[in-house]
Amino acid sequence: MTQTMTIAQLLVRKLALAGVKKIFGLPGGGSSLDIIAAAAAENIQFVLTKTENAAVMMAGALAETTGVPGVALMTKGPGLTNAANGVAYASLDRAPVIVLTDGFTPKQLTYITHQVFDQQAVLKPLVKAVSRLESGNPEDEIDALLATATTHPLGPVHIELTSETARRHVDVVQPNGHDSKVNAGQKRPQVMRPIDTKQLEALRMTLRKARKPIVVVGLEARAHSDAVRTFIQSLGCAVLMTYKAKGVVPDESPQVLGIFTGGSLEQEAIAAADLMVLVGLDPVELILQPWRYTTPVVDISSFKHPVHYVEPSVQVIGSITDILIELTSAGEVSQKEWESTELARLRTNARTQLAYAPVKQAVAPDRVAQLAAVCCEKAGVKPYFSIDAGAHMFSVAAFFPAQRPGDVLISNGLATMAFALPAAISAAVQEPAATVLCFTGDGGLMMCLGELCTAVEQRAKIVVVVFNDSSLSLIDIKQQSRSLEPNGVRWQHHNFAATMSALGGFGVSVATEGEFEAAMEQALMTKGPSLIDVLIDPSGYPEQLKAMRG
């Protein structure tokens, strides 16, 4: 059966078939309006954000947690440039996002210069592909873009859609028995390269010889949690996880020693091992320092990264699940020589190094994370949580546990501020019944403060925990380390709780641990968005940074 529809309707129909249920954005008066109208007809919700940057982050966070491509919509010109940071996040944090912008027709460019620049050139370093859907077969163009976004390395694609093209009619052949809802929610399958049997055998031999392997789990492993858990249990190994891989193996597992960043905190554990097994580690996750470990390395990855910190002795590329199943089902993996007492000691040592000394006033950041976790456990809540870039990130990542892949949302590849709040809103919109915690610094919150309005409008069940120390703490630390005067990194104390209350949410300021616990208990019972403005003692941040990175 053939159906006539506009390009905008065709695009939205294809998005629905890919499982898209939300579009985030800030529209202009051109093709944006056609997309919004078409989305409503397909029962796809349009979520109006306050900035284009946040829209892309929300779309990316949704894609990271569901595996379904995220969609962000904005106008041409300033809309696109305001979104560029979000597109960079989607690129470096491996989030498949469809970036929809308006554009100019060739005829318009003969007389218009207002808001005109080469939009494709602006986003070219950040996106995997671009299209204007102007060919004779726009359906194939859309399919190709979706496939590109969801092929490793996952990332954003750009559709520059003029009003003229959006409204152009095309004939589309509908397969019998299919409509726009048949495949909604299904993930697009990855086409993986065949596993190199020689490399797989070499990996088997290497694992067989190792007595104390340590597995480092990275972001690519999030979609392979069951296989990873079976593998590490069979191996009886120690485990480290990157920020984005938290929850692939539950933090409560006695095999998990902590976070891997490429820093100094994990050196003791790696030195005790005789083999590092990288599972889904993307080098974009590591800090800006050379590889510092001498332990031999093998690598299991979805694809070969052209630039890496280390050259593994053996590398197996392909479906991580298939590779791990091959290793475990063949009986080649056996219990190793890690003692439970040694694992416990290494885990305790790492946490002790990151712990704050007792503070005399305000609240220590590690205690904020620990007390938040206790309050959630008492309330029987297993929350999703987001973490913004900043000094507070060390405490939250170390002391707030994750149990499931996708529990934590964090920008690690770009490490951008102003990510945690949009990500938390995205998670709450996706699962309205869930509780979502947002751990953010005051600097990061100020960069996206308007999205508190979005949280209120969406009635998002999020608890925003603000680490309020009136400074850009990480930059402040680096300034202090160079014995420079504290210029340009500090500001006056701001009352974010009052802001939240004024916008229609629940807001409270706290300055002690007891006040924080009481506020958390109330926030967890609140139906809409809440914000807890915590007065933080930043005095221990330099020692935390030194312990983490050296």
Side-chain angles (χ1 to χ4, degrees):
M1 182 178 71
T2 300
Q3 182 179 1
T4 300
M5 60 180 67
T6 66
I7 297 290
Q9 291 170 330
L10 172 62
L11 173 58
V12 171
R13 176 71 56 87
K14 286 289 186 178
L15 294 176
L17 286 168
V20 173
K21 297 179 180 179
K22 314 282 182 187
I23 295 177
F24 303 89
L26 197 60
S31 62
S32 300
L33 301 182
D34 299 285
I35 294 295
I36 292 172
E42 292 285 350
N43 292 319
I44 295 177
Q45 179 190 3
F46 179 72
V47 179
L48 177 62
T49 64
K50 305 305 171 283
T51 67
E52 295 85 356
N53 181 44
V56 184
M57 290 178 173
M58 291 182 193
L62 186 147
E64 287 195 60
T65 55
T66 66
V68 173
V71 184
L73 176 150
M74 64 227 55
T75 190
K76 57 184 175 292
L80 180 143
T81 50
N82 281 334
N85 182 67
V87 181
Y89 142 72
S91 176
L92 292 178
D93 282 279
R94 314 311 190 203
V97 175
I98 314 301
V99 181
L100 299 175
T101 70
D102 202 353
F104 293 97
T105 66
K107 182 178 179 180
Q108 288 174 319
L109 292 176
T110 63
Y111 62 92
I112 292 175
T113 56
H114 177 69
Q115 294 187 331
V116 172
F117 56 85
D118 190 340
Q119 297 192 141
Q120 293 187 23
V122 171
L123 294 187
K124 184 178 180 181
L126 305 175
V127 298
K128 298 181 67 181
V130 64
S131 173
R132 287 171 59 93
L133 303 186
E134 292 177 339
S135 75
N137 195 337
E139 187 171 8
D140 283 354
E141 285 188 72
I142 296 167
D143 287 341
L145 287 167
L146 286 168
T148 298
T150 54
T151 299
H152 290 294
L154 309 180
V157 296
H158 175 205
I159 298 178
E160 186 179 48
L161 189 65
T162 67
S163 297
E164 182 181 84
T165 300
R167 298 167 195 171
R168 178 165 66 91
H169 284 82
V170 292
D171 291 331
V172 179
V173 177
Q174 289 285 96
N176 291 332
H178 286 255
D179 62 27
S180 62
K181 301 295 181 276
V182 170
N183 296 319
Q186 293 183 1
K187 298 181 182 180
R188 301 178 70 83
Q190 283 279 323
V191 178
M192 304 300 297
R193 61 185 284 179
I195 298 172
D196 186 319
T197 55
K198 290 184 178 179
Q199 287 295 301
L200 183 63
E201 183 60 29
L203 179 57
R204 281 198 182 105
M205 295 298 295
T206 304
L207 284 173
R208 188 182 301 165
K209 295 175 183 177
R211 305 317 308 159
K212 296 179 69 177
I214 187 167
V215 171
V216 179
V217 183
L219 71 84
E220 292 172 18
R222 291 179 302 185
H224 307 275
S225 178
D226 290 344
V228 173
R229 293 183 184 195
T230 299
F231 176 70
I232 68 103
Q233 187 174 10
S234 300
L235 196 58
C237 59
V239 178
L240 294 166
M241 293 181 290
T242 65
Y243 290 130
K244 294 184 80 74
K246 270 178 68 73
V248 172
V249 181
D251 281 326
E252 63 195 20
S253 167
Q255 292 175 258
V256 174
L257 305 184
I259 295 294
F260 182 84
T261 67
S264 60
L265 185 67
E266 50 267 52
Q267 277 188 309
E268 182 183 13
I270 293 172
D274 62 357
L275 180 68
M276 291 180 70
V277 184
L278 310 183
V279 178
L281 177 71
D282 189 320
V284 79
E285 302 184 79
L286 306 185
I287 61 175
L288 307 177
Q289 294 182 12
W291 191 261
R292 64 181 73 197
Y293 319 109
T294 57
T295 304
V297 176
V298 294
D299 184 24
I300 300 170
S301 183
S302 301
F303 71 103
K304 185 173 179 61
H305 299 276
V307 178
H308 211 304
Y309 286 75
V310 62
E311 184 67 32
S313 60
V314 180
Q315 184 176 55
V316 183
I317 304 295
S319 164
I320 291 173
T321 289
D322 290 349
I323 294 167
L324 296 182
I325 287 176
E326 284 284 342
L327 293 172
T328 53
S329 63
E332 299 293 346
V333 175
S334 58
Q335 291 287 326
K336 300 301 181 179
E337 294 179 0
W338 286 102
E339 296 289 342
S340 59
T341 53
E342 183 179 17
L343 292 172
R345 178 183 62 79
L346 290 168
R347 179 186 178 99
T348 299
N349 285 355
R351 292 169 67 90
T352 300
Q353 290 181 66
L354 284 180
Y356 249 55
V359 298
K360 296 181 180 179
Q361 58 183 1
V363 186
D366 61 334
R367 292 294 294 156
V368 171
Q370 291 169 340
L371 291 171
V374 169
C375 289
C376 287
E377 186 175 3
K378 286 181 178 178
V381 172
K382 295 181 179 180
Y384 297 101
F385 61 103
S386 60
I387 313 174
D388 216 52
H392 66 282
M393 174 179 64
F394 305 138
S395 291
V396 178
F399 295 106
F400 196 94
Q403 302 176 32
R404 305 157 295 189
D407 268 4
V408 59
L409 290 164
I410 183 171
S411 172
N412 196 20
L414 183 62
T416 178
M417 296 169 70
F419 172 79
L421 178 57
I425 293 171
S426 175
V429 169
Q430 175 66 17
E431 293 195 33
T435 297
V436 184
L437 303 188
C438 167
F439 295 102
T440 181
D442 46 352
L445 179 60
M446 285 190 285
M447 292 180 184
C448 59
L449 196 62
E451 299 307 330
L452 290 176
C453 298
T454 308
V456 171
E457 291 164 359
Q458 295 296 321
R459 299 180 182 178
K461 187 171 175 55
I462 64 173
V463 180
V464 182
V465 179
V466 187
F467 292 70
N468 195 341
D469 57 13
S470 303
S471 71
L472 292 168
S473 296
L474 276 181
I475 311 305
D476 196 355
I477 293 168
K478 294 174 182 179
Q479 192 176 63
Q480 292 176 46
S481 70
R482 295 175 57 187
S483 301
L484 297 172
E485 291 296 320
N487 292 324
V489 296
R490 300 177 187 176
W491 47 75
Q492 69 183 46
H493 185 81
H494 298 299
N495 190 334
F496 298 105
T499 301
M500 183 79 263
S501 297
L503 295 175
F506 167 67
V508 59
S509 295
V510 302
T512 68
E513 290 188 7
E515 291 175 349
F516 177 71
E517 286 184 282
M520 272 295 300
E521 291 172 2
Q522 186 173 355
L524 290 172
M525 293 187 294
T526 301
K527 292 184 178 179
S530 305
L531 184 148
I532 305 174
D533 189 349
V534 189
L535 184 63
I536 292 295
D537 182 336
S539 61
Y541 279 146
E543 287 302 313
Q544 272 194 328
L545 181 62
K546 183 179 179 181
M548 196 80 181
R549 298 181 177 177

